[in-house]
Amino acid sequence: MTAKIKPSQGSPYARILGVGGYRPTRVVGNDEILKHIDSSDEWIRSRSGIATRHWAGPEETVAMMSVEASGKAIAAAGIDPAQIDAVIVSTVSHFKQTPAIATEIADRVGAGKPAAFDISAGCAGFGYGLTLAKGLIVEGSAEYALVIGVERLSDLTDLEDRATAFLFGDGAGAVVVGPAQEPAIGPTVWGSEGDKAEAIKQTESWEIYRGRTDVSDVRYPAITQEGQAVFRWAVFEMAKVAQEALDRAGVRADDLDVFIPHQANMRIIDSMVKTLGLPEHVTVARDVATTGNTSAASIPLAMERLLATGQAKSGDTALVIGFGAGLAYAATVVTLP
Ligand SMILES: CC(C)(COP(=O)(O)OP(=O)(O)OC[C@H]1O[C@@H](n2cnc3c(N)ncnc32)[C@H](O)[C@@H]1OP(=O)(O)O)[C@@H](O)C(=O)NCCC(=O)NCCS
């Protein structure tokens, strides 16, 4: 006889309860980037919108930045860290395959014995993590989940590559997701286009180190990209994904308060705002100017800054969309914590 399995009991809905961020103390201006590439401050600002970014020092590890951001998110959520049942860390710049850095972070934030794992979804990583967290809470495997996007992309930057040297930054953003009595995280529109995966990639795999004792002639694997192809894809395809997320959430552009797109390039952000026809009253995150592209950390960092500076407020309706390596993407509409 087949035994009857009880269904799991989750919360009807989930919401973001608190957000926190950590930016490394060292601010790197375009002047420092220009020591290595033939370019100009004017070119970098006009083509990317980036004026400064933060680069981590030796002490500002992936774990340290995550713990700092998480502590603030947990405090903002007003929960005891021991209530966290799941820790999801999205990163491409933690260099150990195992154990998951999520386990160390979970321990250091005082989360007890939660499920803890890392995901790799590049710049879509925050949206992927948020979607997983919502699923766990609604399905009943977690009551509270900590979602962290964290990167030390300076470790993966080729300072001599004109196409990328100025783009990347480091930092961590974290949110606590918990139960809700009404919808506060909309349906996620997500996916990947593996046929274009080569458009953003590491120059080498870690395989280059296999069996070698002297690696002095080996170039450290860096992130490289086909800038124009990625730009076109982001501008044309991601606006459609963002619109679909609005449609599926039943939210019109007019009803939106805030737009938090992945912070990759100011021109991509401007183009999406135009294509989506966002009205003037919508606050647009433009954190890329002083944070650069921090991949999985970019959306929670931008969210935290908008709330901290009063440009957005708790309860606002925000469209978030991340996109990048893979080429993976994820968009959803959320109520801000
Ligand atoms: C990287 C990016 C800013 C480059 O801007 P772009 O306008 O596409 O630049 P292009 O590569 O077409 O180059 C345009 C010109 O600038 C020059 N150029 C390239 N890099 C330069 C630099 N760092 N400084 C000065 N000139 C540069 C090129 O040589 C080219 O000159 P030419 O017209 O004489 O041939 C842009 O492609 C981009 O932002 N792409 C998407 C990046 C992104 O979001 N990636 C992450 C997604 S998660």
Side-chain angles (χ1 to χ4, degrees), residues 173-211:
V175 295
V176 172
V177 185
Q181 290 312 309
E182 54 186 48
I185 302 174
T188 299
V189 179
W190 59 347
S192 64
E193 297 186 34
D195 59 327
K196 301 185 187 65
E198 293 288 298
I200 306 175
K201 60 178 185 182
Q202 273 183 250
T203 46
E204 307 280 355
S205 97
W206 301 109
E207 284 289 314
I208 53 172
Y209 295 114
R210 187 191 288 276

PDB file of all heavy atoms in Angstrom, residues 173-211:
ATOM      1  N   GLY A 173      24.736  42.730  -1.520  1.00  0.00           N
ATOM      2  CA  GLY A 173      23.394  43.172  -1.166  1.00  0.00           C
ATOM      3  C   GLY A 173      22.624  41.962  -0.665  1.00  0.00           C
ATOM      4  O   GLY A 173      22.812  40.848  -1.166  1.00  0.00           O
ATOM      5  N   ALA A 174      21.792  42.184   0.348  1.00  0.00           N
ATOM      6  CA  ALA A 174      21.061  41.048   0.925  1.00  0.00           C
ATOM      7  C   ALA A 174      19.629  41.451   1.232  1.00  0.00           C
ATOM      8  O   ALA A 174      19.361  42.618   1.539  1.00  0.00           O
ATOM      9  CB  ALA A 174      21.749  40.594   2.220  1.00  0.00           C
ATOM     10  N   VAL A 175      18.727  40.498   1.114  1.00  0.00           N
ATOM     11  CA  VAL A 175      17.348  40.724   1.556  1.00  0.00           C
ATOM     12  C   VAL A 175      16.884  39.544   2.401  1.00  0.00           C
ATOM     13  O   VAL A 175      17.332  38.412   2.208  1.00  0.00           O
ATOM     14  CB  VAL A 175      16.343  40.897   0.371  1.00  0.00           C
ATOM     15  CG1 VAL A 175      16.639  42.149  -0.421  1.00  0.00           C
ATOM     16  CG2 VAL A 175      16.306  39.674  -0.531  1.00  0.00           C
ATOM     17  N   VAL A 176      15.993  39.846   3.340  1.00  0.00           N
ATOM     18  CA  VAL A 176      15.288  38.790   4.068  1.00  0.00           C
ATOM     19  C   VAL A 176      13.902  38.682   3.445  1.00  0.00           C
ATOM     20  O   VAL A 176      13.211  39.696   3.270  1.00  0.00           O
ATOM     21  CB  VAL A 176      15.162  39.120   5.570  1.00  0.00           C
ATOM     22  CG1 VAL A 176      14.245  38.108   6.271  1.00  0.00           C
ATOM     23  CG2 VAL A 176      16.535  39.141   6.216  1.00  0.00           C
ATOM     24  N   VAL A 177      13.541  37.452   3.065  1.00  0.00           N
ATOM     25  CA  VAL A 177      12.220  37.199   2.488  1.00  0.00           C
ATOM     26  C   VAL A 177      11.429  36.372   3.496  1.00  0.00           C
ATOM     27  O   VAL A 177      11.972  35.432   4.093  1.00  0.00           O
ATOM     28  CB  VAL A 177      12.338  36.446   1.143  1.00  0.00           C
ATOM     29  CG1 VAL A 177      10.972  36.299   0.472  1.00  0.00           C
ATOM     30  CG2 VAL A 177      13.306  37.166   0.203  1.00  0.00           C
ATOM     31  N   GLY A 178      10.183  36.747   3.705  1.00  0.00           N
ATOM     32  CA  GLY A 178       9.380  36.035   4.701  1.00  0.00           C
ATOM     33  C   GLY A 178       7.916  35.958   4.297  1.00  0.00           C
ATOM     34  O   GLY A 178       7.537  36.401   3.204  1.00  0.00           O
ATOM     35  N   PRO A 179       7.080  35.421   5.178  1.00  0.00           N
ATOM     36  CA  PRO A 179       5.675  35.206   4.851  1.00  0.00           C
ATOM     37  C   PRO A 179       4.890  36.513   4.735  1.00  0.00           C
ATOM     38  O   PRO A 179       5.244  37.507   5.347  1.00  0.00           O
ATOM     39  CB  PRO A 179       5.157  34.385   6.040  1.00  0.00           C
ATOM     40  CG  PRO A 179       6.110  34.662   7.153  1.00  0.00           C
ATOM     41  CD  PRO A 179       7.430  34.967   6.534  1.00  0.00           C
ATOM     42  N   ALA A 180       3.821  36.474   3.948  1.00  0.00           N
ATOM     43  CA  ALA A 180       2.973  37.665   3.772  1.00  0.00           C
ATOM     44  C   ALA A 180       1.536  37.233   3.583  1.00  0.00           C
ATOM     45  O   ALA A 180       1.259  36.098   3.166  1.00  0.00           O
ATOM     46  CB  ALA A 180       3.437  38.463   2.560  1.00  0.00           C
ATOM     47  N   GLN A 181       0.630  38.149   3.904  1.00  0.00           N
ATOM     48  CA  GLN A 181      -0.801  37.854   3.781  1.00  0.00           C
ATOM     49  C   GLN A 181      -1.372  38.329   2.446  1.00  0.00           C
ATOM     50  O   GLN A 181      -2.512  38.049   2.110  1.00  0.00           O
ATOM     51  CB  GLN A 181      -1.576  38.467   4.948  1.00  0.00           C
ATOM     52  CG  GLN A 181      -1.309  37.766   6.281  1.00  0.00           C
ATOM     53  CD  GLN A 181      -1.417  36.244   6.182  1.00  0.00           C
ATOM     54  OE1 GLN A 181      -2.411  35.708   5.680  1.00  0.00           O
ATOM     55  NE2 GLN A 181      -0.383  35.537   6.634  1.00  0.00           N
ATOM     56  N   GLU A 182      -0.570  39.088   1.697  1.00  0.00           N
ATOM     57  CA  GLU A 182      -1.015  39.465   0.355  1.00  0.00           C
ATOM     58  C   GLU A 182       0.196  39.449  -0.583  1.00  0.00           C
ATOM     59  O   GLU A 182       1.346  39.518  -0.124  1.00  0.00           O
ATOM     60  CB  GLU A 182      -1.687  40.837   0.362  1.00  0.00           C
ATOM     61  CG  GLU A 182      -0.859  41.936   0.956  1.00  0.00           C
ATOM     62  CD  GLU A 182      -1.653  43.234   1.057  1.00  0.00           C
ATOM     63  OE1 GLU A 182      -2.814  43.180   1.552  1.00  0.00           O
ATOM     64  OE2 GLU A 182      -1.129  44.267   0.632  1.00  0.00           O
ATOM     65  N   PRO A 183      -0.060  39.342  -1.904  1.00  0.00           N
ATOM     66  CA  PRO A 183       1.072  39.222  -2.839  1.00  0.00           C
ATOM     67  C   PRO A 183       2.001  40.427  -2.750  1.00  0.00           C
ATOM     68  O   PRO A 183       1.543  41.569  -2.766  1.00  0.00           O
ATOM     69  CB  PRO A 183       0.391  39.164  -4.213  1.00  0.00           C
ATOM     70  CG  PRO A 183      -1.014  38.740  -3.949  1.00  0.00           C
ATOM     71  CD  PRO A 183      -1.367  39.281  -2.596  1.00  0.00           C
ATOM     72  N   ALA A 184       3.317  40.163  -2.632  1.00  0.00           N
ATOM     73  CA  ALA A 184       4.295  41.253  -2.568  1.00  0.00           C
ATOM     74  C   ALA A 184       5.534  40.924  -3.413  1.00  0.00           C
ATOM     75  O   ALA A 184       6.473  41.700  -3.481  1.00  0.00           O
ATOM     76  CB  ALA A 184       4.696  41.530  -1.128  1.00  0.00           C
ATOM     77  N   ILE A 185       5.508  39.743  -4.025  1.00  0.00           N
ATOM     78  CA  ILE A 185       6.523  39.378  -5.024  1.00  0.00           C
ATOM     79  C   ILE A 185       5.746  38.749  -6.181  1.00  0.00           C
ATOM     80  O   ILE A 185       5.096  37.712  -6.012  1.00  0.00           O
ATOM     81  CB  ILE A 185       7.566  38.367  -4.480  1.00  0.00           C
ATOM     82  CG1 ILE A 185       8.290  38.935  -3.243  1.00  0.00           C
ATOM     83  CG2 ILE A 185       8.575  38.008  -5.567  1.00  0.00           C
ATOM     84  CD1 ILE A 185       9.236  37.945  -2.561  1.00  0.00           C
ATOM     85  N   GLY A 186       5.764  39.397  -7.309  1.00  0.00           N
ATOM     86  CA  GLY A 186       4.956  38.940  -8.438  1.00  0.00           C
ATOM     87  C   GLY A 186       5.539  37.717  -9.120  1.00  0.00           C
ATOM     88  O   GLY A 186       6.589  37.209  -8.723  1.00  0.00           O
ATOM     89  N   PRO A 187       4.843  37.252 -10.174  1.00  0.00           N
ATOM     90  CA  PRO A 187       5.379  36.129 -10.943  1.00  0.00           C
ATOM     91  C   PRO A 187       6.718  36.522 -11.575  1.00  0.00           C
ATOM     92  O   PRO A 187       6.872  37.651 -12.034  1.00  0.00           O
ATOM     93  CB  PRO A 187       4.331  35.908 -12.039  1.00  0.00           C
ATOM     94  CG  PRO A 187       3.104  36.632 -11.587  1.00  0.00           C
ATOM     95  CD  PRO A 187       3.564  37.753 -10.715  1.00  0.00           C
ATOM     96  N   THR A 188       7.665  35.605 -11.568  1.00  0.00           N
ATOM     97  CA  THR A 188       8.969  35.896 -12.177  1.00  0.00           C
ATOM     98  C   THR A 188       8.956  35.493 -13.645  1.00  0.00           C
ATOM     99  O   THR A 188       8.520  34.399 -13.989  1.00  0.00           O
ATOM    100  CB  THR A 188      10.082  35.110 -11.456  1.00  0.00           C
ATOM    101  OG1 THR A 188      10.115  35.524 -10.094  1.00  0.00           O
ATOM    102  CG2 THR A 188      11.442  35.378 -12.082  1.00  0.00           C
ATOM    103  N   VAL A 189       9.426  36.403 -14.483  1.00  0.00           N
ATOM    104  CA  VAL A 189       9.670  36.051 -15.883  1.00  0.00           C
ATOM    105  C   VAL A 189      11.176  35.823 -15.974  1.00  0.00           C
ATOM    106  O   VAL A 189      11.956  36.761 -15.771  1.00  0.00           O
ATOM    107  CB  VAL A 189       9.236  37.198 -16.829  1.00  0.00           C
ATOM    108  CG1 VAL A 189       9.517  36.814 -18.275  1.00  0.00           C
ATOM    109  CG2 VAL A 189       7.749  37.493 -16.636  1.00  0.00           C
ATOM    110  N   TRP A 190      11.575  34.585 -16.187  1.00  0.00           N
ATOM    111  CA  TRP A 190      13.010  34.299 -16.194  1.00  0.00           C
ATOM    112  C   TRP A 190      13.340  33.289 -17.270  1.00  0.00           C
ATOM    113  O   TRP A 190      12.445  32.661 -17.847  1.00  0.00           O
ATOM    114  CB  TRP A 190      13.516  33.862 -14.829  1.00  0.00           C
ATOM    115  CG  TRP A 190      12.879  32.626 -14.210  1.00  0.00           C
ATOM    116  CD1 TRP A 190      11.736  31.982 -14.617  1.00  0.00           C
ATOM    117  CD2 TRP A 190      13.360  31.901 -13.067  1.00  0.00           C
ATOM    118  NE1 TRP A 190      11.475  30.926 -13.791  1.00  0.00           N
ATOM    119  CE2 TRP A 190      12.463  30.837 -12.837  1.00  0.00           C
ATOM    120  CE3 TRP A 190      14.447  32.036 -12.230  1.00  0.00           C
ATOM    121  CZ2 TRP A 190      12.622  29.920 -11.787  1.00  0.00           C
ATOM    122  CZ3 TRP A 190      14.607  31.126 -11.184  1.00  0.00           C
ATOM    123  CH2 TRP A 190      13.705  30.084 -10.959  1.00  0.00           C
ATOM    124  N   GLY A 191      14.642  33.176 -17.531  1.00  0.00           N
ATOM    125  CA  GLY A 191      15.078  32.244 -18.554  1.00  0.00           C
ATOM    126  C   GLY A 191      16.553  32.427 -18.839  1.00  0.00           C
ATOM    127  O   GLY A 191      17.264  33.128 -18.115  1.00  0.00           O
ATOM    128  N   SER A 192      16.988  31.769 -19.909  1.00  0.00           N
ATOM    129  CA  SER A 192      18.388  31.889 -20.328  1.00  0.00           C
ATOM    130  C   SER A 192      18.455  31.648 -21.826  1.00  0.00           C
ATOM    131  O   SER A 192      17.575  30.987 -22.380  1.00  0.00           O
ATOM    132  CB  SER A 192      19.265  30.872 -19.592  1.00  0.00           C
ATOM    133  OG  SER A 192      18.869  29.550 -19.951  1.00  0.00           O
ATOM    134  N   GLU A 193      19.464  32.191 -22.455  1.00  0.00           N
ATOM    135  CA  GLU A 193      19.665  31.972 -23.896  1.00  0.00           C
ATOM    136  C   GLU A 193      21.072  31.423 -24.095  1.00  0.00           C
ATOM    137  O   GLU A 193      22.019  32.160 -24.374  1.00  0.00           O
ATOM    138  CB  GLU A 193      19.448  33.282 -24.663  1.00  0.00           C
ATOM    139  CG  GLU A 193      18.020  33.792 -24.522  1.00  0.00           C
ATOM    140  CD  GLU A 193      17.741  35.016 -25.402  1.00  0.00           C
ATOM    141  OE1 GLU A 193      18.293  35.126 -26.500  1.00  0.00           O
ATOM    142  OE2 GLU A 193      16.954  35.864 -24.942  1.00  0.00           O
ATOM    143  N   GLY A 194      21.170  30.099 -23.889  1.00  0.00           N
ATOM    144  CA  GLY A 194      22.474  29.438 -23.920  1.00  0.00           C
ATOM    145  C   GLY A 194      23.177  29.526 -25.263  1.00  0.00           C
ATOM    146  O   GLY A 194      24.410  29.422 -25.324  1.00  0.00           O
ATOM    147  N   ASP A 195      22.410  29.745 -26.318  1.00  0.00           N
ATOM    148  CA  ASP A 195      23.062  29.877 -27.637  1.00  0.00           C
ATOM    149  C   ASP A 195      23.900  31.155 -27.712  1.00  0.00           C
ATOM    150  O   ASP A 195      24.734  31.300 -28.591  1.00  0.00           O
ATOM    151  CB  ASP A 195      22.013  29.852 -28.761  1.00  0.00           C
ATOM    152  CG  ASP A 195      20.990  30.971 -28.637  1.00  0.00           C
ATOM    153  OD1 ASP A 195      20.651  31.355 -27.502  1.00  0.00           O
ATOM    154  OD2 ASP A 195      20.529  31.479 -29.682  1.00  0.00           O
ATOM    155  N   LYS A 196      23.674  32.062 -26.773  1.00  0.00           N
ATOM    156  CA  LYS A 196      24.452  33.313 -26.745  1.00  0.00           C
ATOM    157  C   LYS A 196      25.390  33.354 -25.538  1.00  0.00           C
ATOM    158  O   LYS A 196      25.922  34.406 -25.190  1.00  0.00           O
ATOM    159  CB  LYS A 196      23.506  34.519 -26.678  1.00  0.00           C
ATOM    160  CG  LYS A 196      22.531  34.634 -27.835  1.00  0.00           C
ATOM    161  CD  LYS A 196      21.734  35.943 -27.718  1.00  0.00           C
ATOM    162  CE  LYS A 196      20.630  36.047 -28.732  1.00  0.00           C
ATOM    163  NZ  LYS A 196      19.558  35.021 -28.561  1.00  0.00           N
ATOM    164  N   ALA A 197      25.561  32.210 -24.892  1.00  0.00           N
ATOM    165  CA  ALA A 197      26.320  32.192 -23.627  1.00  0.00           C
ATOM    166  C   ALA A 197      27.761  32.679 -23.796  1.00  0.00           C
ATOM    167  O   ALA A 197      28.363  33.190 -22.846  1.00  0.00           O
ATOM    168  CB  ALA A 197      26.304  30.794 -23.019  1.00  0.00           C
ATOM    169  N   GLU A 198      28.302  32.542 -25.000  1.00  0.00           N
ATOM    170  CA  GLU A 198      29.687  32.959 -25.220  1.00  0.00           C
ATOM    171  C   GLU A 198      29.850  34.486 -25.212  1.00  0.00           C
ATOM    172  O   GLU A 198      30.967  34.994 -25.202  1.00  0.00           O
ATOM    173  CB  GLU A 198      30.180  32.418 -26.569  1.00  0.00           C
ATOM    174  CG  GLU A 198      30.309  30.906 -26.608  1.00  0.00           C
ATOM    175  CD  GLU A 198      31.499  30.413 -25.789  1.00  0.00           C
ATOM    176  OE1 GLU A 198      32.627  30.766 -26.129  1.00  0.00           O
ATOM    177  OE2 GLU A 198      31.269  29.701 -24.790  1.00  0.00           O
ATOM    178  N   ALA A 199      28.746  35.206 -25.230  1.00  0.00           N
ATOM    179  CA  ALA A 199      28.834  36.673 -25.308  1.00  0.00           C
ATOM    180  C   ALA A 199      29.406  37.295 -24.029  1.00  0.00           C
ATOM    181  O   ALA A 199      29.968  38.384 -24.066  1.00  0.00           O
ATOM    182  CB  ALA A 199      27.467  37.273 -25.618  1.00  0.00           C
ATOM    183  N   ILE A 200      29.208  36.617 -22.889  1.00  0.00           N
ATOM    184  CA  ILE A 200      29.853  37.044 -21.627  1.00  0.00           C
ATOM    185  C   ILE A 200      30.449  35.794 -21.007  1.00  0.00           C
ATOM    186  O   ILE A 200      29.721  34.847 -20.711  1.00  0.00           O
ATOM    187  CB  ILE A 200      28.836  37.634 -20.620  1.00  0.00           C
ATOM    188  CG1 ILE A 200      28.010  38.760 -21.241  1.00  0.00           C
ATOM    189  CG2 ILE A 200      29.556  38.153 -19.375  1.00  0.00           C
ATOM    190  CD1 ILE A 200      26.901  39.291 -20.329  1.00  0.00           C
ATOM    191  N   LYS A 201      31.750  35.766 -20.842  1.00  0.00           N
ATOM    192  CA  LYS A 201      32.344  34.533 -20.306  1.00  0.00           C
ATOM    193  C   LYS A 201      33.682  34.818 -19.653  1.00  0.00           C
ATOM    194  O   LYS A 201      34.244  35.912 -19.794  1.00  0.00           O
ATOM    195  CB  LYS A 201      32.523  33.516 -21.426  1.00  0.00           C
ATOM    196  CG  LYS A 201      33.436  34.020 -22.523  1.00  0.00           C
ATOM    197  CD  LYS A 201      33.643  32.980 -23.591  1.00  0.00           C
ATOM    198  CE  LYS A 201      34.666  33.507 -24.608  1.00  0.00           C
ATOM    199  NZ  LYS A 201      34.904  32.624 -25.707  1.00  0.00           N
ATOM    200  N   GLN A 202      34.209  33.811 -18.963  1.00  0.00           N
ATOM    201  CA  GLN A 202      35.557  33.927 -18.424  1.00  0.00           C
ATOM    202  C   GLN A 202      36.538  33.579 -19.536  1.00  0.00           C
ATOM    203  O   GLN A 202      36.276  32.688 -20.347  1.00  0.00           O
ATOM    204  CB  GLN A 202      35.744  32.963 -17.258  1.00  0.00           C
ATOM    205  CG  GLN A 202      35.298  33.559 -15.938  1.00  0.00           C
ATOM    206  CD  GLN A 202      35.553  32.633 -14.771  1.00  0.00           C
ATOM    207  OE1 GLN A 202      34.632  32.099 -14.202  1.00  0.00           O
ATOM    208  NE2 GLN A 202      36.810  32.449 -14.432  1.00  0.00           N
ATOM    209  N   THR A 203      37.665  34.290 -19.549  1.00  0.00           N
ATOM    210  CA  THR A 203      38.639  34.043 -20.610  1.00  0.00           C
ATOM    211  C   THR A 203      39.173  32.615 -20.567  1.00  0.00           C
ATOM    212  O   THR A 203      39.503  32.036 -21.580  1.00  0.00           O
ATOM    213  CB  THR A 203      39.828  35.021 -20.472  1.00  0.00           C
ATOM    214  OG1 THR A 203      40.233  35.042 -19.103  1.00  0.00           O
ATOM    215  CG2 THR A 203      39.428  36.418 -20.903  1.00  0.00           C
ATOM    216  N   GLU A 204      39.312  32.068 -19.384  1.00  0.00           N
ATOM    217  CA  GLU A 204      39.815  30.704 -19.201  1.00  0.00           C
ATOM    218  C   GLU A 204      38.960  30.026 -18.148  1.00  0.00           C
ATOM    219  O   GLU A 204      38.337  30.705 -17.342  1.00  0.00           O
ATOM    220  CB  GLU A 204      41.253  30.710 -18.650  1.00  0.00           C
ATOM    221  CG  GLU A 204      42.244  31.527 -19.424  1.00  0.00           C
ATOM    222  CD  GLU A 204      42.749  30.820 -20.648  1.00  0.00           C
ATOM    223  OE1 GLU A 204      42.396  29.636 -20.842  1.00  0.00           O
ATOM    224  OE2 GLU A 204      43.484  31.454 -21.419  1.00  0.00           O
ATOM    225  N   SER A 205      38.968  28.699 -18.139  1.00  0.00           N
ATOM    226  CA  SER A 205      38.335  28.014 -17.013  1.00  0.00           C
ATOM    227  C   SER A 205      39.434  27.731 -15.991  1.00  0.00           C
ATOM    228  O   SER A 205      40.629  27.836 -16.284  1.00  0.00           O
ATOM    229  CB  SER A 205      37.665  26.722 -17.472  1.00  0.00           C
ATOM    230  OG  SER A 205      38.506  25.638 -17.243  1.00  0.00           O
ATOM    231  N   TRP A 206      39.043  27.372 -14.783  1.00  0.00           N
ATOM    232  CA  TRP A 206      40.047  27.078 -13.750  1.00  0.00           C
ATOM    233  C   TRP A 206      40.874  25.858 -14.127  1.00  0.00           C
ATOM    234  O   TRP A 206      41.880  25.570 -13.498  1.00  0.00           O
ATOM    235  CB  TRP A 206      39.361  26.872 -12.393  1.00  0.00           C
ATOM    236  CG  TRP A 206      38.589  28.073 -11.973  1.00  0.00           C
ATOM    237  CD1 TRP A 206      37.232  28.188 -11.920  1.00  0.00           C
ATOM    238  CD2 TRP A 206      39.102  29.348 -11.586  1.00  0.00           C
ATOM    239  NE1 TRP A 206      36.874  29.451 -11.522  1.00  0.00           N
ATOM    240  CE2 TRP A 206      38.009  30.183 -11.315  1.00  0.00           C
ATOM    241  CE3 TRP A 206      40.385  29.872 -11.453  1.00  0.00           C
ATOM    242  CZ2 TRP A 206      38.151  31.511 -10.916  1.00  0.00           C
ATOM    243  CZ3 TRP A 206      40.522  31.186 -11.049  1.00  0.00           C
ATOM    244  CH2 TRP A 206      39.415  31.986 -10.784  1.00  0.00           C
ATOM    245  N   GLU A 207      40.458  25.153 -15.188  1.00  0.00           N
ATOM    246  CA  GLU A 207      41.197  23.985 -15.672  1.00  0.00           C
ATOM    247  C   GLU A 207      42.650  24.318 -15.992  1.00  0.00           C
ATOM    248  O   GLU A 207      43.511  23.448 -15.993  1.00  0.00           O
ATOM    249  CB  GLU A 207      40.529  23.452 -16.953  1.00  0.00           C
ATOM    250  CG  GLU A 207      39.254  22.680 -16.726  1.00  0.00           C
ATOM    251  CD  GLU A 207      39.507  21.326 -16.096  1.00  0.00           C
ATOM    252  OE1 GLU A 207      40.417  20.622 -16.547  1.00  0.00           O
ATOM    253  OE2 GLU A 207      38.793  20.996 -15.140  1.00  0.00           O
ATOM    254  N   ILE A 208      42.905  25.611 -16.286  1.00  0.00           N
ATOM    255  CA  ILE A 208      44.277  25.969 -16.644  1.00  0.00           C
ATOM    256  C   ILE A 208      45.263  25.669 -15.531  1.00  0.00           C
ATOM    257  O   ILE A 208      46.444  25.570 -15.765  1.00  0.00           O
ATOM    258  CB  ILE A 208      44.411  27.464 -17.028  1.00  0.00           C
ATOM    259  CG1 ILE A 208      43.819  28.350 -15.925  1.00  0.00           C
ATOM    260  CG2 ILE A 208      43.782  27.748 -18.376  1.00  0.00           C
ATOM    261  CD1 ILE A 208      44.099  29.825 -16.146  1.00  0.00           C
ATOM    262  N   TYR A 209      44.751  25.546 -14.304  1.00  0.00           N
ATOM    263  CA  TYR A 209      45.653  25.290 -13.189  1.00  0.00           C
ATOM    264  C   TYR A 209      45.883  23.797 -12.955  1.00  0.00           C
ATOM    265  O   TYR A 209      46.740  23.412 -12.168  1.00  0.00           O
ATOM    266  CB  TYR A 209      45.092  25.914 -11.897  1.00  0.00           C
ATOM    267  CG  TYR A 209      45.031  27.414 -11.969  1.00  0.00           C
ATOM    268  CD1 TYR A 209      43.818  28.073 -11.952  1.00  0.00           C
ATOM    269  CD2 TYR A 209      46.187  28.169 -12.063  1.00  0.00           C
ATOM    270  CE1 TYR A 209      43.755  29.462 -12.030  1.00  0.00           C
ATOM    271  CE2 TYR A 209      46.143  29.552 -12.144  1.00  0.00           C
ATOM    272  CZ  TYR A 209      44.921  30.194 -12.126  1.00  0.00           C
ATOM    273  OH  TYR A 209      44.873  31.548 -12.214  1.00  0.00           O
ATOM    274  N   ARG A 210      45.091  22.964 -13.654  1.00  0.00           N
ATOM    275  CA  ARG A 210      45.158  21.520 -13.377  1.00  0.00           C
ATOM    276  C   ARG A 210      46.570  20.960 -13.617  1.00  0.00           C
ATOM    277  O   ARG A 210      47.132  21.141 -14.692  1.00  0.00           O
ATOM    278  CB  ARG A 210      44.170  20.776 -14.272  1.00  0.00           C
ATOM    279  CG  ARG A 210      44.056  19.306 -13.926  1.00  0.00           C
ATOM    280  CD  ARG A 210      43.275  18.573 -14.993  1.00  0.00           C
ATOM    281  NE  ARG A 210      41.853  18.884 -14.986  1.00  0.00           N
ATOM    282  CZ  ARG A 210      40.959  18.297 -14.194  1.00  0.00           C
ATOM    283  NH1 ARG A 210      41.340  17.361 -13.369  1.00  0.00           N
ATOM    284  NH2 ARG A 210      39.692  18.621 -14.268  1.00  0.00           N
ATOM    285  N   GLY A 211      47.101  20.317 -12.590  1.00  0.00           N
ATOM    286  CA  GLY A 211      48.372  19.621 -12.723  1.00  0.00           C
ATOM    287  C   GLY A 211      49.576  20.539 -12.846  1.00  0.00           C
ATOM    288  O   GLY A 211      50.683  20.079 -13.128  1.00  0.00           O
TER     289      GLY A 211
END
